[in-house]
Amino acid sequence: MDDRLSEDREVREKLIAKGVSALTTAELLSILLQKGGVGFSALELAERVLAHFGGSLSGIGRCSVSELRSTENLGVRHAAVVAAALELGRREQAEKAGKQEIIRTDQDVIAMFRPLLAHLPHEEFWTVYLNTANRVVDRVRISQGGVAATVVDVRLVIKRAIADLAQGIVLVHNHPSGKAQPSDGDIELTRKIFDAAALFDITLVDHVIIASEGCFSFREHALLDKGGR
């Protein structure tokens, strides 16, 4: 048997014998690809694709199908299968995150929103509204913008808090650049919402920035004491 076909068969046999968790990322990707190219196996193709993205699945996930199809000459069919599999994984994580009921720390916020926001090529701004026990009563996407910024209407944030009888607000947005450090605009917006919420005795609990290379909590960095000043 052709060595490359034997290699791919061994991957499938390993999956059946030991389960999907026993496979490496490259091996799992090769299962999706099913076959390689002239002279190389599906596993070798998977390794090439991963190497192209520095070994990062999140890097692959940020690509459109049209961008992915040109990577190592994957083609439309392979690119569509990989993109669909990654999206299913994100949706499964988002479904779990959506069941988060209580916010205790910034890690709870990150667990809730990383699956939704970390991979997006544009900015989104969300608010989570809490009752006195820090239980989630509502979460709302306030705005969606471009690669660098999104416009947030402070009045909408506060109006929804009042309508929900919320006692606390958590702000969340993503940075498509991958860097989580807050911009001057992020700090200024936090200050405005902090001040507006205080007028109604509503606490700004945290502002969390989600990015592919990490996350940033205003509360953890003591930037909420004076509204981000």
Side-chain angles (χ1 to χ4, degrees):
M1 179 181 288
D2 190 321
D3 287 344
R4 64 189 179 91
L5 295 178
S6 175
E7 187 175 47
D8 292 339
R9 186 189 65 182
E10 288 173 4
V11 172
R12 292 191 294 271
E13 290 175 348
K14 179 180 176 182
L15 183 152
I16 293 169
K18 299 183 178 181
V20 291
S21 62
L23 271 61
T24 66
T25 301
E27 288 171 338
L28 288 170
L29 186 56
S30 74
I31 294 289
L32 295 175
L33 296 175
Q34 295 186 347
K35 64 179 182 179
V38 178
F40 58 91
S41 66
L43 180 58
E44 290 173 310
L45 177 58
E47 290 170 343
R48 291 184 187 187
V49 172
L50 279 172
H52 181 88
F53 292 97
S56 169
L57 279 177
S58 62
I60 300 175
R62 288 193 295 272
C63 286
S64 65
V65 173
S66 60
E67 292 170 331
L68 191 56
R69 65 183 289 193
S70 63
T71 303
E72 299 296 330
N73 297 313
L74 276 183
V76 175
R77 185 175 68 84
H78 281 157
V81 169
V82 172
L86 289 173
E87 180 61 23
L88 282 172
R90 281 194 291 262
R91 292 188 185 190
E92 190 264 346
Q93 289 299 311
E95 186 177 292
K96 287 182 180 178
K99 296 177 181 179
Q100 180 84 31
E101 294 184 349
I102 297 177
I103 299 296
R104 296 185 178 89
T105 70
D106 60 307
Q107 293 305 310
D108 293 329
V109 180
I110 292 168
M112 179 183 289
F113 281 96
R114 185 189 285 275
L116 292 172
L117 302 179
H119 67 285
L120 293 180
H122 60 270
E123 274 201 14
E124 289 191 1
F125 191 97
W126 288 69
T127 52
V128 182
Y129 298 103
L130 309 174
N131 65 16
T132 53
N134 283 345
R135 186 173 294 276
V136 176
V137 295
D138 204 357
R139 66 177 193 169
V140 181
R141 184 173 66 181
I142 297 297
S143 65
Q144 176 178 316
V147 173
T150 183
V151 177
V152 177
D153 189 331
V154 175
R155 294 169 298 181
L156 291 180
V157 174
I158 302 304
K159 180 180 179 181
R160 190 60 175 256
I162 294 170
D164 286 337
L165 299 177
Q167 297 297 309
I169 302 173
V170 177
L171 310 178
V172 190
H173 80 282
N174 64 308
H175 281 179
S177 67
K179 307 295 184 182
Q181 193 69 20
S183 66
D184 290 344
D186 295 335
I187 294 171
E188 175 65 13
L189 176 61
T190 304
R191 182 192 64 78
K192 288 181 178 179
I193 295 176
F194 180 96
D195 290 343
L199 293 174
F200 298 92
D201 294 324
I202 299 171
T203 301
L204 180 56
V205 176
D206 204 350
H207 184 173
V208 177
I209 300 173
I210 305 290
S212 60
E213 297 179 15
C215 299
F216 185 96
S217 162
F218 275 61
R219 181 171 65 177
E220 287 298 305
H221 288 81
L223 291 177
L224 290 181
D225 295 344
K226 296 182 179 178
R229 295 181 180 85

